[in-house]
Amino acid sequence: MIAVDLRTHVTSDAEPPRRVYLRELAGYDELSHGSAVELIDALLLARPGAAARPGDARRLTLSQVDRVLAAVYRSLYGDAVECHVNCPDCR
């Protein structure tokens, strides 16, 4: 299970966590042709105290959707992001 805290840097640490809970991605999720919001909706779990449950993904703000997608990415590939850039002057 993936737990995602939806609080942003502008919210106070005193504010209670607003979390959503997701199941792990499966092969059929990776093959789906739906939108990011539809994917999140398919992954959401109904847990006590969850800020969003299955069917609620459309109510998430854009920044919350980004947080959830980043959490899914981290669960699959870890925190590192690899990037290769070719310098036009170094050929």
Side-chain angles (χ1 to χ4, degrees):
M1 179 175 54
I2 305 166
V4 184
D5 188 351
L6 298 178
R7 290 181 298 179
T8 64
H9 68 282
V10 296
T11 57
S12 165
D13 285 338
E15 179 183 328
R18 295 191 62 239
R19 289 195 176 95
V20 294
Y21 301 93
L22 310 168
R23 64 173 174 76
E24 297 290 332
L25 214 64
Y28 56 86
D29 297 313
E30 295 179 29
L31 296 173
S32 75
H33 297 288
S35 68
V37 172
E38 290 169 331
L39 174 63
I40 292 169
D41 227 4
L43 299 178
L44 282 170
L45 297 172
R47 293 284 188 255
R53 291 179 164 73
D56 292 342
R58 284 182 166 67
R59 293 187 311 115
L60 297 174
T61 66
L62 181 59
S63 63
Q64 291 170 336
V65 168
D66 283 348
R67 274 187 177 295
V68 172
L69 292 175
V72 170
Y73 181 92
R74 275 192 310 272
S75 76
L76 293 170
Y77 306 109
D79 287 330
V81 176
E82 190 172 316
C83 179
H84 299 276
V85 179
N86 294 323
C87 174
D89 296 330
C90 298
R91 294 181 190 210

